[in-house]
Amino acid sequence: MATVNLTREFDEILPVVVADRRHFHEHPELAFEEYETAAYVAERLRELGVEDIKTGVGGTGVTGLIRGERGDGNVVMLRADMDALPILEENAVDYKSQVDGKMHACGHDAHTAMLLGVARILMQHKAEFKGTVKVLFQPAEEVPPGGAQAMIKDGALENPKVDAAIGLHVAADMPAGQIAWKVGPGSAGSDRFRVVIQGRGGHAARPQAAVDPVVIAAQAILALQTLVARETDPMDSAVVSTTAVIAGDAFNVIPDSAEIRGTVRTISTTAREHMAKRLPEIFTGIAQTMGGSADVTYIQGYPSLQNDAAIVEFVRNAAIELTGEDNVIEGKLGLGGEDFSYFSLEVPSCFFNCGTRNEERDIVWGHHHPRFDVEEEGFVNGMAVMATAAMDYLNAM
Ligand code: NI
């Protein structure tokens, strides 16, 4: 049972949250450059009376504590990301980005404003929970290695030690008001590769005197697909996509080298480690067999996010109680990347989605699109669920 029904209170403070969100939207800052945003967040937290505010955590990260008055207990961390994207906004709204070529096109402006809203309401309900809420605003979700890892390295999960974490992402494909939860994997491990195949260039009419890197590349690209089709457990999931092939520029010249780039997405750690080992072997093996060589760079991105069943249960119950069964759905697994995953590997976590789509107002464009926007009415449910799940978790521990 939720401690109190917070929906009406979030409704009342929505104008403040919307004003904050629009402020962030007008002043977007890219990954690891969130100086103004972080300063605004810290100032707001001070104004609210949040304790132990730390800035400059893992770059531009900010944390603060809200201590319940019912005594000692666990620590739950609530997370928002603050960075914008290098996109030129195409919306004609009066809160349009004031910085050409930078835009909050993923909704991180909403996440930051919503967490400030959650902090505001939790400060007013300190008498109703035990333990501590740590609010965490992180830099650089969009650019690996990302801000989450940097904040963890800087001690964000210590002093006091965090026992559980909750985060949310607004969703352009879910109607405003809807909440989606998921147990288990919530995003993919997303890695990248860059391979330079070295052959020996020559005349296209005399292939016997050359080592053709284009043919080697072609063989290797097809062989890569067997990593999924023949080497991945059919009950698991993986994607290997070759997204760039760069070689030569003439009709009659065999080039000296070929470059291949692509991405690997996996769900399980087993599949992820297998790919990291086997992809280089395929390239070097095939190149060697055909008389060339391959220089493989394999770049690990974000790991797969793991949602803990027990923490999800607090979120799901809060969502059903506050918004009604019809507004709560089980989310689908996508193969995008999300660096909340680093927190989820450290402490039991739940990352849930909060719908912000509104067809009537043409708020239908996908994340990272120059016309992306959010239906701000959808914030109420997201904030109420986050705050309630946090209090329920702390009181249950
Ligand atoms: Ni995002």
Side-chain angles (χ1 to χ4, degrees), residues 96-359:
K96 182 176 172 170
S97 168
Q98 292 178 9
V99 189
D100 265 6
K102 296 183 189 176
M103 175 191 178
H104 271 290
C106 195
H108 300 185
D109 49 347
H111 304 161
T112 304
M114 288 165 78
L115 186 51
L116 289 174
V118 168
R120 180 180 296 268
I121 296 296
L122 287 177
M123 283 300 292
Q124 294 167 12
H125 288 269
K126 289 192 330 188
E128 285 136 51
F129 63 92
K130 62 173 181 168
T132 303
V133 174
K134 179 179 255 185
V135 287
L136 179 148
F137 300 80
Q138 76 154 76
E141 190 284 322
E142 299 286 0
V143 183
Q149 213 181 10
M151 289 191 81
I152 293 170
K153 280 187 188 147
D154 222 353
L157 293 180
E158 304 299 325
N159 299 320
K161 196 178 163 340
V162 170
D163 299 294
I166 301 174
L168 68 77
H169 207 298
V170 295
D173 59 349
M174 284 164 49
Q178 204 172 57
I179 300 290
W181 56 273
K182 192 177 178 312
V183 173
S187 74
S190 48
D191 303 327
R192 286 176 288 158
F193 61 92
R194 181 173 168 276
V195 182
V196 177
I197 291 173
Q198 189 62 49
R200 193 171 59 244
H203 198 293
R206 299 190 69 247
Q208 76 278 19
V211 173
D212 189 346
V214 176
V215 174
I216 297 174
Q219 297 268 10
I221 289 165
L222 290 178
L224 276 190
Q225 292 307 316
T226 64
L227 289 177
V228 177
R230 300 290 82 183
E231 298 188 23
T232 303
D233 182 340
M235 302 313 281
D236 199 351
S237 246
V239 175
V240 179
S241 290
T242 303
T243 54
V245 183
I246 306 148
D249 57 5
F251 288 106
N252 55 357
V253 179
I254 291 171
D256 211 41
S257 65
E259 185 177 326
I260 297 162
R261 296 179 203 154
T263 183
V264 177
R265 305 290 165 111
T266 46
I267 304 303
S268 70
T269 312
T270 313
R272 191 171 193 225
E273 287 170 356
H274 186 78
M275 293 293 180
K277 176 173 170 289
R278 288 287 293 142
L279 184 137
E281 284 176 2
I282 286 195
F283 275 107
T284 51
I286 289 178
Q288 257 170 31
T289 306
M290 300 176 72
S293 64
D295 183 20
V296 183
T297 311
Y298 198 86
I299 307 147
Q300 302 244 329
Y302 299 152
S304 171
L305 189 157
Q306 298 299 322
N307 285 305
D308 179 84
I311 308 300
V312 170
E313 202 53 19
F314 286 105
V315 168
R316 199 177 76 92
N317 287 341
I320 290 172
E321 193 175 318
L322 296 170
T323 76
E325 195 110 33
D326 291 347
N327 276 321
V328 183
I329 59 165
E330 180 171 3
K332 286 196 256 344
L333 172 63
L335 293 188
E338 164 59 65
D339 81 339
F340 182 83
S341 56
Y342 287 108
F343 297 121
S344 80
L345 295 180
E346 297 291 328
V347 295
S349 297
C350 172
F351 193 69
F352 68 99
N353 285 112
C354 157
T356 45
R357 182 185 186 86
N358 185 345
E359 309 227 345

